[in-house]
Amino acid sequence: DSGVTQTPKHLITATGQRVTLRCSPRSGDLSVYWYQQSLDQGLQFLIQYYNGEERAKGNILERFSAQQFPDLHSELNLSSLELGDSALYFCASSTRTSGIGNEQFFGPGTRLTVL
Amino acid sequence: DQQVKQNSPSLSVQEGRISILNCDYTNSMFDYFLWYKKYPAEGPTFLISISSIKDKNEDGRFTVFLNKSAKHLSLHIVPSQPGDSAVYFCAASGFPYDKVIFGPGTSLSVIP
């Protein structure tokens, strides 16, 4: 158990809909990262937050947004969903925002299926 | 453009033998590399890392080798055990180390 929790575990929705994925980092971790893993693909970095502020952005679509709240939990919002958005979404946390040795601890993921 | 490549999607090894997983990168700004292991229905877990100031890092049965000139690293598992069967992701990072780029993964099967 990494200490990172993600809810829900599974989500099935229809095209055009909007969903919210939630992540609670390990106790004491200030950084939260979001990744997308599509079928047979590696982990694609989406976005990072540190102590409530956006710190780095990857290949995140404009239809997607995220935020980190004062209690450090984070939410990833996906809107106008398309079939291609079906994927595993992972949240990870780490103690620092940067620096060598910044290993990330991953949650179990949320599997999103768009029908 | 894949900056971190793992050209073998899968690898099968006999229990007790050596498993060698390879990874290549293209971005010369990467100077910190990590390996993660992932079991089905779980998130990836950190396994071992190496900084570019080293060419080898060892942790128990796991050793990572880095060849900077070839932009190549490898993970050696000796001896391989059935519990090592998982997907292994190579990942790379560069200053300021807030972004980590993952490869597509190699699925390792250790046959008893």
Side-chain angles (χ1 to χ4, degrees), chain B residues 28-79:
Chain B
S28 57
M29 300 304 290
F30 290 149
D31 60 4
Y32 186 61
F33 305 90
L34 312 94
W35 285 93
Y36 282 81
K37 178 169 76 173
K38 183 183 179 304
Y39 293 118
E42 295 182 12
T45 55
F46 170 72
L47 196 55
I48 192 169
S49 63
I50 187 166
S51 162
S52 63
I53 61 173
K54 293 183 164 185
D55 53 21
K56 175 182 171 182
N57 189 25
E58 202 169 343
D59 184 0
R61 297 185 296 112
F62 302 90
T63 303
V64 56
F65 295 91
L66 175 62
N67 182 334
K68 290 184 288 294
S69 60
K71 293 193 179 71
H72 176 84
L73 61 155
S74 60
L75 175 69
H76 292 211
I77 306 173
V78 183

Side-chain angles (χ1 to χ4, degrees), chain A residues 33 35 37 40-45 48 55-58 88 90 97-109, chain B residues 2 31-32 34 36 38 41-46 48-49 51-52 87 89 95-105:
Chain A
Y33 307 77
Y35 292 87
Q37 185 184 19
D40 295 332
Q41 299 290 312
L43 293 153
Q44 300 294 319
F45 170 71
Q48 180 212 356
R55 289 300 297 260
K57 231 172 182 176
L88 262 173
F90 288 103
T97 179
S98 61
I100 278 191
N102 191 26
E103 287 82 23
Q104 298 172 21
F105 296 84
F106 283 79
Chain B
Q2 241 183 5
D31 60 4
Y32 186 61
L34 312 94
Y36 282 81
K38 183 183 179 304
E42 295 182 12
T45 55
F46 170 72
I48 192 169
S49 63
S51 162
S52 63
V87 176
F89 291 99
F95 182 83
Y97 309 107
D98 48 12
K99 263 193 221 183
V100 177
I101 307 300
F102 283 79

